[in-house]
Amino acid sequence: NNDQLRPVRVLVKKQYGTMSKHYAAYLKPHVKTHGKFLWASGMILATWTVFFILYANLFNFDYFELSYAGVQDAQPVYGPFYKRHVATKEKKSLTDLAMRKHRFNSFKSDQTPLNRKIPDTRSEGCAELLYPHNLPVASVIIVFHNEALTVLLRTVYSVLDKTPPHLLKEIILVDDFSDDGELKTLDLEISKLVKTSHIRLPKRSGLIKARLFGASRATGEVMIFLDSHCECNSGWVEPLLYEVKKDRSTVPSPIIDVIMYDTFEYRQANPQVGAFDWSFTFYWQLREQKNLTEPLIAPVMAGGLFAIDRSYFEEIGTYDTDMNIWGGENMEMSFRIWMCGGRLLSLPCSRVGHIFRDRAPYNFGGESQILTLHRNYARAVEVWLDGHKELFYRFVPHARDIDIGDISSRVNLRKRLNCKSFDWYLENLLPMLPTEKRLLASGQIRNNKIGQCVDTLGFRKANDTVSHYRCLPKREPGYTNQVWMYSKNYEIISLENCLDASVPDANSRAFKRVSLWPCHGLGGNQKWHYSATQQIIHAESQLCLSVGDPSKPKLFLDHCDGSAHQMFTFTNIYSQ
Ligand code: UD2
Ligand code: MN
């Protein structure tokens, strides 16, 4: 009967295309079974979904992938200066222009999506950690002066994109009186974004006062400060908030990854913490970890990127408001937090990229950068260093003559908070730093003939070879590999290691390799004399530190011949 078959044929056609009438007649019951099967598997799936959501909520974890603003998965979003076609010649001149203006390649930034993907650089095991759902909410504060627009926007995009909405109260941008026309569309760009506001200061105030202004507007339980050229990575915020939640006097920082200033490539940093030498030069100290996800104890913070409980920030004395423009506030805050009962951590599970550059692209409000920096240092030194301040002045003699103004309110703060001594700080946080009256020279060890500096190249283990490399500016990450201290025990020290050369036979003409070895304080292979003729003489063998022979290791021992290949200068030499 044709009439009975017709509806079935329609159904079959839809699902399987054309089939013979004959076959279709047989199919009807099969289609029905098929429907039942679909229905049953749908039910199973739904049950599992309900269980999964219940389970996830019960154990408080976020069960959806990151990218909270949803922009990561969308089309690339370009900033206002993006050019679709750029000739090679034009590219080069635009790059040069950008480098001169910002000290990083902002042209490359303009050509890079604001929501670009970056590699998840968290240490192994971090991605599997679970955090409570009810962490404190954060206000993110970003201060800037003449920042490159797309770099600033990418910072904000990354915060929105990588922070679970329930943990982000607001993003406060504080414009420290920028006068660069490239920022005139900033308000328009920000108006497209949620939770983000922009305040402009009526005069140039410097990053310290600008951050305080931002803090005064913040309403979240925790404040997170960021520089204006950062990119937050996956899961960056939870570890920070978790540490503050556990103990409100903990001030955690992310591990600061490197955004290359020229290529904008995002690179993973090693687990490391801030340290300093007596010139207050900040450097990174690598840390070995058994448990890779474990927070690291940080003697000092780099300064730009940290989370702090909002009421604790007040309680511990915010910042020294008489510090100007830039520099030293991170040292002051670090000493204060440690000595007055708090602690600083660096978290390998929280990663934020930052563009490090060779020098500041902006002016310092009418005085030199070095004067501003040294005044800020001296204010911190006078309040916190106790008997050790003379050592600082030996490293930075110029700071002694600077008028630092009134510090009585900060001295009173230290008394009021009943803070510990600087001796306590050194013993507990930087036991390897040689204290006063134990140093002869320090800084980079430069050979003028080849114009390079003695460099560990980042090697830190016993017996690693020491080499030389282009002398790097302070604050560039690799600079730390070129910082040496020449002690009164005649050791040449890099962090915990000493320059070492083993000489089984002093008369051998073999050219000796120079390596690192943990300082043992016994002289021997680690004893070096710095002569009036600028030679660095290995005491045991009476051979000279030498460079510049392509047939030998880069740094080697050779018979002293008085040539410029054996003459070195230290950045700082201390008159005794
Ligand atoms: C590092 C810190 C920085 C700060 C500084 C010492 C990191 C990654 N960076 O230097 O945060 O602690 O050491 O003071 O730890 N800015 C203003 N007004 C000014 C000058 C600067 O708002 O007058 C802004 C600037 O746009 C940037 C931030 O302050 O967002 C830090 O300045 P920087 O990036 O030049 O400092 P940086 O990273 O060399
Ligand atoms: Mn910076």
Side-chain angles (χ1 to χ4, degrees):
N1 187 322
N2 274 349
D3 280 351
Q4 270 179 347
L5 275 176
R6 198 164 294 129
V8 177
R9 203 194 285 141
V10 173
L11 184 72
V12 168
K13 255 193 183 165
K14 245 192 189 160
Q15 291 186 5
Y16 304 101
T18 35
M19 281 187 205
S20 76
K21 217 178 192 179
H22 174 74
Y23 191 54
Y26 279 97
L27 211 70
K28 191 175 175 186
H30 285 91
V31 171
K32 269 195 179 153
T33 334
H34 204 69
K36 264 185 198 152
F37 173 74
L38 279 177
W39 191 82
S41 49
M43 279 305 286
I44 292 167
L45 198 71
T47 320
W48 272 109
T49 312
V50 168
F51 268 115
F52 180 69
I53 291 172
L54 272 176
Y55 171 81
N57 276 320
L58 228 57
F59 293 96
N60 281 328
F61 69 89
D62 289 304
Y63 42 88
F64 297 116
E65 246 317 303
L66 296 168
S67 182
Y68 298 98
V71 289
Q72 281 282 288
D73 306 319
Q75 290 295 309
V77 178
Y78 286 98
F81 307 135
Y82 174 67
K83 291 172 173 232
R84 192 172 291 276
H85 303 289
V86 193
T88 318
K89 221 173 109 195
E90 196 191 357
K91 207 179 206 166
K92 193 178 171 322
S93 72
L94 287 171
T95 304
D96 290 348
L97 206 69
M99 291 296 284
R100 276 201 300 279
K101 184 172 172 189
H102 293 293
R103 307 302 304 173
F104 55 65
N105 188 355
S106 56
F107 168 66
K108 177 76 189 185
S109 169
D110 296 344
Q111 297 296 96
T112 304
L114 299 178
N115 60 341
R116 72 160 173 174
K117 286 199 166 96
I118 50 174
D120 181 345
T121 53
R122 283 175 291 182
S123 296
E124 209 185 309
C126 290
E128 286 79 51
L129 294 183
L130 304 177
Y131 294 93
H133 199 70
N134 57 342
L135 292 169
V137 278
S139 295
V140 173
I141 299 168
I142 301 168
V143 305
F144 65 95
H145 176 75
N146 288 348
E147 188 55 272
L149 178 61
T150 54
V151 169
L152 175 59
L153 288 174
R154 190 172 298 105
T155 308
V156 177
Y157 269 68
S158 76
V159 175
L160 289 173
D161 209 36
K162 300 291 170 35
T163 315
H166 74 281
L167 298 179
L168 181 66
K169 184 79 189 262
E170 64 210 339
I171 301 174
I172 302 172
L173 302 181
V174 183
D175 177 356
D176 185 11
F177 203 62
S178 300
D179 53 10
D180 182 350
E182 112 167 45
L183 286 162
K184 65 177 186 287
T185 54
L186 177 62
D187 274 324
L188 176 72
E189 295 297 330
I190 288 175
S191 67
K192 300 174 193 166
L193 303 173
V194 293
K195 296 189 184 181
T196 310
S197 65
H198 174 205
I199 325 164
R200 186 175 157 82
L201 299 181
K203 65 170 201 286
R204 178 77 183 281
S205 308
L207 71 91
I208 297 131
K209 294 180 190 100
R211 278 185 196 152
L212 283 171
F213 195 80
S216 74
R217 297 295 182 90
T219 56
E221 290 162 80
V222 173
M223 298 188 293
I224 302 181
F225 293 96
L226 295 178
D227 274 9
S228 47
H229 33 255
C230 290
E231 275 170 81
C232 300
N233 210 321
S234 300
W236 75 292
V237 88
E238 292 89 339
L240 295 171
L241 297 176
Y242 184 49
E243 291 302 330
V244 178
K245 181 188 161 83
K246 280 194 293 187
D247 176 356
R248 63 190 280 279
S249 63
T250 296
V251 179
S253 292
I255 294 284
I256 306 177
D257 287 333
V258 176
I259 302 168
M260 296 301 290
Y261 67 97
D262 47 357
T263 60
F264 272 66
E265 181 200 343
Y266 189 104
R267 288 198 188 162
Q268 181 186 44
N270 291 317
Q272 54 195 1
V273 298
F276 60 91
D277 68 3
W278 287 111
S279 64
F280 271 23
T281 301
F282 177 92
Y283 65 88
W284 297 110
Q285 229 173 41
L286 290 174
R287 286 288 154 91
E288 296 280 323
Q289 283 184 287
K290 278 207 195 76
N291 177 354
L292 297 176
T293 63
E294 200 75 4
L296 301 167
I297 300 282
V300 288
M301 59 159 84
L305 289 56
F306 63 97
I308 190 165
D309 180 280
R310 194 155 57 84
S311 62
Y312 181 68
F313 183 64
E314 283 296 324
E315 204 174 294
I316 201 79
T318 63
Y319 275 124
D320 176 352
T321 50
D322 287 322
M323 285 191 176
N324 292 327
I325 305 290
W326 177 94
E329 92 293 342
N330 60 319
M331 306 293 283
E332 193 272 345
M333 182 174 246
S334 305
F335 301 153
R336 180 157 43 87
I337 285 172
W338 276 116
M339 290 161 66
C340 310
R343 60 180 192 149
L344 303 175
L345 297 178
S346 285
L347 310 182
C349 290
S350 173
R351 299 280 178 158
V352 177
H354 169 264
I355 310 174
F356 291 91
R357 49 188 162 191
D358 59 352
R359 58 186 164 87
Y362 41 75
N363 67 47
F364 282 69
E367 64 179 25
S368 75
Q369 171 170 14
I370 207 79
L371 179 59
T372 306
L373 180 67
H374 287 174
R375 187 189 297 107
N376 291 350
Y377 280 173
R379 286 186 66 86
V381 163
E382 289 296 330
V383 177
W384 298 101
L385 254 61
D386 303 330
H388 297 274
K389 68 185 182 192
E390 281 309 308
L391 188 51
F392 166 80
Y393 287 121
R394 267 201 278 152
F395 275 69
V396 192
H398 163 69
R400 220 190 276 274
D401 311 322
I402 301 172
D403 176 9
I404 62 166
D406 183 16
I407 53 163
S408 57
S409 71
R410 301 308 283 179
V411 173
N412 290 339
L413 173 76
R414 180 173 169 178
K415 278 197 204 115
R416 182 157 51 80
L417 294 173
N418 207 1
C419 308
K420 298 189 186 85
S421 69
F422 199 68
D423 267 329
W424 175 89
Y425 173 84
L426 286 180
E427 254 165 54
N428 288 279
L429 292 146
L430 281 172
M432 297 305 287
L433 185 67
T435 51
E436 52 257 70
K437 301 188 184 83
R438 280 200 51 221
L439 285 174
L440 297 168
S442 71
Q444 285 165 313
I445 304 176
R446 181 187 164 95
N447 179 281
N448 279 317
K449 179 75 183 175
I450 60 164
Q452 296 215 338
C453 285
V454 177
D455 195 317
T456 66
L457 302 180
F459 295 116
R460 292 283 294 278
K461 291 195 308 296
N463 216 21
D464 281 340
T465 304
V466 180
S467 185
H468 58 75
Y469 190 71
R470 169 173 69 87
C471 295
L472 296 170
K474 289 182 178 187
R475 306 197 74 88
E476 204 170 297
Y479 173 79
T480 65
N481 305 330
Q482 300 182 350
V483 179
W484 300 90
M485 286 189 287
Y486 183 39
S487 77
K488 279 200 174 167
N489 296 334
Y490 306 103
E491 302 147 312
I492 299 178
I493 307 169
S494 162
L495 312 173
E496 67 272 37
N497 290 317
C498 277
L499 208 62
D500 191 299
S502 58
V503 186
D505 172 10
N507 293 321
S508 139
R509 291 202 63 88
F511 300 99
K512 307 297 177 202
R513 188 176 74 100
V514 179
S515 58
L516 291 174
W517 197 263
C519 300
H520 50 52
L522 303 172
N525 293 337
Q526 300 186 348
K527 190 168 181 182
W528 304 84
H529 287 298
Y530 186 51
S531 74
T533 51
Q534 298 189 333
Q535 288 160 314
I536 297 179
I537 305 166
H538 188 241
E540 203 165 75
S541 62
Q542 290 295 305
L543 297 174
C544 271
L545 198 65
S546 314
V547 296
D549 185 333
S551 69
K552 296 174 189 134
K554 280 199 150 187
L555 196 67
F556 58 98
L557 289 185
D558 201 352
H559 293 279
C560 300
D561 59 13
S563 79
H565 289 110
Q566 299 181 344
M567 286 160 70
F568 296 86
T569 55
F570 284 87
T571 314
N572 312 293
I573 294 193
Y574 310 107
S575 51
Q576 298 308 307

